[in-house]
Amino acid sequence: MTTQFLSDPTPAQAEPVASLRPYLGELLVQAGKLSARDLDRALSAQQEMGGMLGRVLVRLGLVSELDVAQTLSRQLNVPLVAAESFPELMPEVDGLLPEFLHAHAAFPLRQEGQELHVALAVPQDAFVLKALHLATGCTIRPYLALEGDIEKALAEPEEQEQQEEEGGFSDGLDGGDFVEHLKDLASEAPVIRLVNTIVGRVTDLRASDIHLEPFDDGLHVRYRVDGVIHPGEIVPPRLSAAVGSRVKLLAHLDIAERRLPQDGRIKTRVKGRELDLRVSTVPTVHGESIVMRVLDRASVRLNLDTMGFAPDTLARFNALLARPHGIVLVTGPTGSGKTTTLYAALSKIDAQANKIITVEDPVEYQLEGINQIQVHPQINLTFANALRSILRQDPDIIMIGEMRDGETAQIAVQSALTGHLVLSTLHTNTAAGAVIRMQDMGVESYLITSSVNGVLAQRLVRTLCNHCKEAYTPDEELRQRTGLARFTAPGQAIYRAVGCEHCRQSGYRGRTGIHELFVLDEPMRRAIIDGKDANALNALAAQGGMLSLFEDGLRKVTAGVTTLDELARVTQDQSDA
């Protein structure tokens, strides 16, 4: 490359350089560093974000900075210089101000007569080359270098130390060995591998959620396993933005928008298993917090018989599902398996003989033979609006993902009264509380008694690890205080959690359901019409043989499925009542 061309460019000559940017992407695709699909996405992001394509690709975490630099070096025919080749002391060159070098990421390497060798982050910038030539009077011999290397070399020693403390790999993932491993993988886009590693751990940990939480010291990765949060690695600050951008890109979210919450979905394959990840981002003071809910199609159990139902509860629940019309509700907090129970109920119903339509937000699992509608509030496709439309679709069975407002509840009641079986969920602590919640939504008591067949309250408790659980005999005081005496004989052993390598020292492996089934029989309907509160309804149901969540859990403690501690953690409100 002739220095005369580079040292005395004109604005007209700078024009063709811009046209080379897509060519850089093509070279990366040819080298196998980037997929054509990701290149198209990056070009779209470049239009939104602005800036040079190489920097956009690195910022999105699609390729490493070194990948771009090596490809750019070949494209521009400019030699690539590594940080270790920089001189220990920057040569003093007349006419060069530190402010200019910092602003334009330029570092003078050496001066040989009237020829100045300069490392540049953007050696194709004709205006910077012209400015260097005019400031120094030298012919400029450009080299390409990583912007981070130039910034580090320009920094004063104390600044350099601070940079290493704040942003170096040393704040890393699993110590020095992994740091070196990441450096070795830099030519193969470490951010992509890092995100793949984070997502890949869900199958080993059996995690249901991945949390990426930004803080001062980096991006904290945490996993929810069997309903309990466990800490993971900490991604160093210099990679935090790139990791977040990579996840957002995979979820087809707007990468440039960092001020508003966004929702998306990722379909991926991890260790031979199809995974759906439901992605949610929200802005925090340190950056974007991202949560990925793992929807593992292979592990979901759409079978009521394997979901922890006691035989008597399951028989009564199946009887409710067999009725031709009415409302069956499943209640519980977020993450208690309500939707999975409804899916299992739907899979039990013959989709060939019945027209089944669901309205969900979001559609978590796609079920064969069932028409599923995704709610889109942005275009006014709400639960209520979707329900009005599907009633004209001649359905037999309707599933509503959640009764969120009075309008949805009213339409559900009308649907049940006109001969449809309606399945839905509510956020209440007890089964009887669902009746009061519907009244609060504005549904008249006589409509509730006419339409609601039953309510199933549900929680998930962790099950004991079979390899390390330990038997012990509770004393009489504990049996009486907890209510175990009702379900165990004196001297009967129960189990406690210990911890081993099979359960990652937690003492638990997997989860099962505990249930409380509230059936609206004639005495219950009269009590609702009379305006009884939730406590009175609960007491009446208990007289009729209903076991509370805590009591159903005690049966599982007696059977050696879970522990008293775990039951207390999940049903604290029940045991205190």
Side-chain angles (χ1 to χ4, degrees):
M1 182 173 237
T2 60
T3 51
Q4 187 179 1
F5 166 73
L6 283 169
S7 62
D8 194 19
T10 64
Q13 287 170 322
E15 197 66 37
V17 174
S19 65
L20 291 173
R21 288 178 194 156
Y23 184 50
L24 170 69
E26 290 167 19
L27 285 176
L28 287 164
V29 171
Q30 290 169 15
K33 304 292 185 186
L34 184 69
S35 71
R37 187 179 175 192
D38 281 343
L39 174 59
D40 289 340
R41 290 182 191 163
L43 289 169
S44 299
Q46 185 191 18
Q47 291 178 348
E48 294 177 15
M49 298 161 63
M52 303 176 72
L53 180 64
R55 287 182 176 174
V56 172
L57 289 167
V58 172
R59 189 175 168 192
L60 298 182
L62 292 170
V63 291
S64 70
E65 198 178 357
L66 187 58
D67 283 336
V68 172
Q70 289 170 340
T71 307
L72 196 59
S73 173
R74 291 196 301 274
Q75 181 201 31
L76 300 174
N77 196 24
V78 174
L80 179 64
V81 60
E84 51 266 27
S85 300
F86 285 17
E88 288 187 20
L89 290 174
M90 184 175 71
E92 291 187 14
V93 182
D94 290 339
L96 279 188
L97 296 174
E99 292 83 1
F100 177 86
L101 297 177
H102 278 284
H104 297 287
F107 185 84
L109 300 171
R110 60 187 179 278
Q111 187 173 2
E112 296 173 352
Q114 285 302 301
E115 190 172 70
L116 181 63
H117 297 250
V118 184
L120 295 159
V122 189
Q124 69 269 40
D125 191 331
F127 297 101
V128 173
L129 295 169
K130 176 77 171 178
L132 285 168
H133 171 64
L134 292 174
T136 63
C138 295
T139 303
I140 305 303
R141 174 74 68 178
Y143 292 79
L144 176 62
L146 300 183
E147 188 171 359
D149 291 345
I150 293 174
E151 287 175 357
K152 203 177 222 182
L154 288 171
E156 294 295 328
E158 60 270 18
E159 289 176 344
Q160 199 163 322
E161 286 174 18
Q162 188 179 352
Q163 281 181 1
E164 286 172 0
E165 285 174 12
E166 290 177 357
F169 274 100
S170 56
D171 280 345
L173 307 168
D174 284 324
D177 291 341
F178 191 59
V179 168
E180 291 306 314
H181 186 51
L182 271 183
K183 286 182 179 176
D184 292 340
L185 293 172
S187 61
E188 296 183 37
V191 171
I192 298 173
R193 287 187 171 265
L194 182 53
V195 172
N196 289 346
T197 301
I198 290 170
V199 173
R201 288 193 69 194
V202 301
T203 54
D204 299 329
L205 295 173
R206 298 175 296 102
S208 61
D209 300 83
I210 307 169
H211 295 249
L212 306 178
E213 301 166 331
F215 292 102
D216 272 339
D217 59 340
L219 193 67
H220 290 219
V221 182
R222 301 202 292 171
Y223 300 88
R224 189 178 293 279
V225 181
D226 293 335
V228 179
I229 285 274
H230 294 272
E233 53 270 81
I234 298 177
V235 178
R238 62 183 295 184
L239 294 177
S240 298
V243 167
S245 294
R246 173 67 182 165
V247 173
K248 289 173 71 176
L249 187 77
L250 291 171
H252 305 286
L253 301 179
D254 182 356
I255 296 154
E257 181 54 77
R258 295 172 175 269
R259 301 161 301 166
L260 294 172
Q262 296 187 70
D263 294 295
R265 195 168 190 143
I266 299 173
K267 286 192 176 183
T268 186
R269 194 172 182 83
V270 175
K271 298 181 182 176
R273 292 166 70 174
E274 289 284 345
L275 286 186
D276 277 3
L277 304 176
R278 202 171 76 208
V279 181
S280 168
T281 75
V282 294
T284 70
V285 290
H286 295 292
E288 284 186 292
S289 172
I290 299 175
V291 175
M292 291 179 272
R293 165 67 60 90
V294 181
L295 306 174
D296 185 356
R297 295 180 184 178
S299 69
V300 67
R301 297 173 298 178
L302 297 181
N303 187 341
L304 291 173
D305 298 329
T306 60
M307 295 177 69
F309 279 92
D312 55 341
T313 306
L314 182 59
R316 289 189 296 150
F317 187 58
N318 282 332
L320 293 178
L321 295 175
R323 295 190 189 180
H325 53 81
I327 297 175
V328 177
L329 294 170
V330 180
T331 74
T334 302
S336 60
K338 301 186 298 296
T339 306
T340 305
T341 298
L342 287 183
Y343 279 159
L346 288 178
S347 66
K348 185 181 181 67
I349 297 166
D350 185 1
Q352 297 295 322
N354 293 281
K355 170 88 169 186
I356 304 174
I357 303 181
T358 74
V359 187
E360 304 170 61
D361 184 21
V363 174
E364 294 193 6
Y365 298 102
Q366 293 170 16
L367 304 175
E368 190 176 347
I370 294 174
N371 302 278
Q372 294 172 271
I373 299 171
Q374 168 77 56
V375 168
H376 286 291
Q378 301 90 336
I379 57 172
N380 207 29
L381 181 59
T382 60
F383 277 109
N385 289 340
L387 274 173
R388 286 193 191 91
S389 300
I390 66 175
L391 286 173
R392 294 191 286 273
Q393 291 273 310
D394 186 31
D396 296 300
I397 295 158
I398 301 167
M399 181 187 117
I400 307 166
E402 184 185 337
M403 279 195 199
R404 293 182 179 174
D405 52 59
E407 191 178 10
T408 305
Q410 292 282 4
I411 300 171
V413 167
Q414 294 302 326
S415 303
L417 293 176
T418 52
H420 304 90
L421 179 62
V422 179
L423 309 180
S424 188
T425 69
L426 266 179
H427 286 285
T428 61
N429 288 330
T430 64
V435 172
I436 310 302
R437 177 63 55 85
M438 288 186 72
Q439 290 172 341
D440 292 342
M441 286 180 173
V443 181
E444 297 290 345
S445 296
Y446 71 90
L447 290 176
I448 295 173
T449 57
S450 304
S451 59
V452 178
N453 294 337
V455 184
L456 179 77
Q458 175 173 308
R459 298 288 190 281
L460 294 177
V461 293
R462 290 183 292 172
T463 53
L464 279 161
C465 171
N466 288 323
H467 293 91
C468 63
K469 67 180 182 180
E470 181 180 271
Y472 72 102
T473 304
D475 58 42
E476 189 59 29
E477 188 272 333
L478 180 66
R479 292 178 67 248
Q480 295 298 333
R481 178 166 51 84
T482 59
L484 264 177
R486 178 179 169 188
F487 301 99
T488 60
Q492 182 178 338
I494 58 175
Y495 291 84
R496 62 165 65 99
V498 179
C500 65
E501 68 275 7
H502 296 282
C503 57
R504 297 182 179 271
Q505 306 304 320
S506 68
Y508 300 94
R509 186 174 176 86
R511 288 190 290 178
T512 191
I514 55 173
H515 305 91
E516 171 182 301
L517 186 58
F518 177 86
V519 179
L520 271 76
D521 52 15
E522 279 310 312
M524 190 62 66
R525 289 191 170 95
R526 283 196 298 274
I528 294 170
I529 293 292
D530 291 343
K532 303 288 188 186
D533 63 13
N535 288 334
L537 296 180
N538 258 324
L540 184 60
Q543 290 172 21
M546 182 188 84
L547 291 181
S548 70
L549 284 166
F550 186 71
E551 290 167 336
D552 190 48
L554 287 175
R555 292 200 289 187
K556 287 184 167 54
V557 171
T558 304
V561 174
T562 190
T563 65
L564 279 174
D565 289 341
E566 175 65 7
L567 181 60
R569 181 184 73 83
V570 173
T571 64
Q572 200 66 51
D573 55 328
Q574 297 286 311
S575 55
D576 290 345

